[in-house]
Amino acid sequence: MAAAAAGTRVFLEVRRRLQSALLILGEPKEGGVPVDISIAPCSLRVKTPEGCTELRLPAEVSLVPSSCRGLQYVPGDGLHLRLQVRAESDAKLISMFNQSSQAHGCCTFYCQSCGEVVIRDRKLVRVLPLPSENWGALVEEWCCHPDPFANKPLHPQENDCFIGDSFFLVNLRSDLWQPRPESAPVETHCPSSENHFKLKPKANTKVICKRCKVMLGETMSSETTKFYMTEIIIQPSERNFSIIPRSQFVQNVVAQCLVELSAARSTFRFTIQGHDGKAYILLWLLNSDSLVIESLGSSKSITKFPLLEDTLKEDSSSAWNAVKVLYQPCIKNRNEKLSSAWESDISIHSLTLPSATCLELLLILSRNNATLPPSLRSMNSFQKKCADLCTGGFPTNGRENIA
């Protein structure tokens, strides 16, 4: 997928399920510059007086040159055209927790931000998904007698790991690393998939990393601790801790949560809320089958975000799997009416993350959106703010599909 010398910015979005692609050739620096476009099944080349840009496609994607259609010029973007592709449609996400490989050996839980060991050499015998947040109400429809599960919370045992929508529940034994609670009093909020816990508000429920002081989760009972997926990396104990850029990790986790929930529950709208119960982002999942291939040309024209890692390289070419979302921020009293309407809609699912991570995710979405061609950055009144979260093994350079 390497590209040749810098030149015109080339943007290609492949839709695997539709077997189609949108090609955008960036505007030249000077108007009226002749452009020579050559499209082959495995690559495309753009020649201008300034230079030549060649984009090579991944092995699983091939173009159909004779299918080019819909050529048009979009001010601010450049040339748009559509064409058919032949692409493998069986791209799969790697599970957040590989039950088959990790449930049979010892695992170590690490803080994703700094690599501090949280739980060492834990043998997990059972790795089970938690029921949905409405499971208690549905029991009445299943049973003709009093609820047999009433007042029986689902607490994991010593060798269990229960998986919620955006968190893990584990049992902390006395001989393991003990979480350091935050001194400030906080309330315990029941996240999705866990109406099993009926704790009263109390102080010191936050679980804080001893080294970097990042919030990792919350204490749910004297033995049960909830760790957020965005804050913890679980690896086999025999494997060394691998450093993953923070923004890339958050993207991958959130994208996977969205895709898995949409497939399991047929819901496509989500509210991202903090552990404090406040809504931070409204997300609308559009599709999860995009493959984005791009030659960035000169990355100097792309907006920089100092608080995030710079994953873009000058004169580089990249390809990554992505999910596409619309999003609206809810911070500083923005979109209050829309947020209230979504919160009262039972078809909309909430994902709970640490409040700091919600702000990180908003920055990531803004950065990814800023790297898109201008015509793809907004849509109708929802501000089609699409941003891409990487869902596969390709590097994440940000883009309209949330990855």
Side-chain angles (χ1 to χ4, degrees), residues 82 149 162:
R82 294 188 177 274
F149 305 106
F162 293 166

Side-chain angles (χ1 to χ4, degrees), residues 243-255:
I243 299 176
I244 302 175
R246 175 66 182 167
S247 62
Q248 179 181 335
F249 182 79
V250 172
Q251 290 186 102
N252 291 341
V253 171
V254 174

Side-chain angles (χ1 to χ4, degrees), residues 1 8 12 34 41 59 78 140 182 185-186 200 224 239 271 273 281 297 302 333 343 351 358 394:
M1 293 171 290
T8 303
L12 181 70
E140 297 179 359
E182 190 176 75
V186 293
K200 295 180 180 180
T224 302
R239 185 187 305 172
T271 300
Q273 65 180 25
I281 310 171
I302 298 176
N333 300 321
E343 289 177 1
L351 282 178
C358 294
F394 295 118

Side-chain angles (χ1 to χ4, degrees), residues 174-192:
S174 59
D175 59 333
L176 291 176
W177 175 86
Q178 292 297 314
R180 174 181 174 178
E182 190 176 75
S183 58
V186 293
E187 292 186 357
T188 299
H189 296 273
C190 293
S192 60

